[in-house]
């Protein structure tokens, strides 16, 4: 799913993403909720790393921030799920993503939600480019 397609799936002001997230570098994106906060975020999968976009300050008025994590810090939580993706209800799909010690949960409805969850799960499980060491 492209960033430009997330408008109806998240309340985040995606136009504030800025230059650190370029849509052409994005493999797929997934709107998620953060388990320890009542705020949404968007996980952005690129070939080299994972971006976590959201309000990472004390208030939602601080604007959007993108935190980057290497792929070796990212995993899918499968406990209690069938495989890595499970049905969250009759017309929703659910995916739990761990980034270090943070837990993100996506529950998206309909065929577009299923496609977004499936695409993201594939992106996490795919081989990733590594930056050459100098």
């Amino acid at each position: 799913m492209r960033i430009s397609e997330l408008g109806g799936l998240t309340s985040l002001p995606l136009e504030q993403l800025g230059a650190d997230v370029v849509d052409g570098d994005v493999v797929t994106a997934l709107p998620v909720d953060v388990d320890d906060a009542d705020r949404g975020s968007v996980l952005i999968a690129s070939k080299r790393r994972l971006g976590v976009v959201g309000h990472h300050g004390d208030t939602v008025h601080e604007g959007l921030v993108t935190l980057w994590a290497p792929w070796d810090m990212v995993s899918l939580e499968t406990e209690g799920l069938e495989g890595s993706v499970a049905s969250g209800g009759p017309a929703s799909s659910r995916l739990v993503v761990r980034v270090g010690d943070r837990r993100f949960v996506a529950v998206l409805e309909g065929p577009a939600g299923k496609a977004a969850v499936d695409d993201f799960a594939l992106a996490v499980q795919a081989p990733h480019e590594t930056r050459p060491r100098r």
Side-chain angles (χ1 to χ4, degrees), residues 23-40:
D23 207 22
D25 295 335
V26 173
V27 174
T28 190
L30 184 70
V32 293
D33 290 322
V34 183
D35 260 6
D36 60 355
D38 191 23
R39 293 187 245 182

Side-chain angles (χ1 to χ4, degrees), residues 26-80:
V26 173
V27 174
T28 190
L30 184 70
V32 293
D33 290 322
V34 183
D35 260 6
D36 60 355
D38 191 23
R39 293 187 245 182
S41 292
V42 174
L43 300 181
I44 298 181
S46 76
K47 292 178 184 175
R48 291 196 170 115
R49 57 192 178 161
L50 178 81
V52 180
V53 178
H55 298 287
H56 298 284
D58 292 333
T59 70
V60 295
H61 303 293
E62 292 184 29
L64 293 182
V65 176
T66 304
L67 303 175
W68 292 100
W71 279 112
D72 60 359
M73 290 183 61
V74 181
S75 64
L76 300 179
E77 191 172 290
T78 58
E79 185 175 318

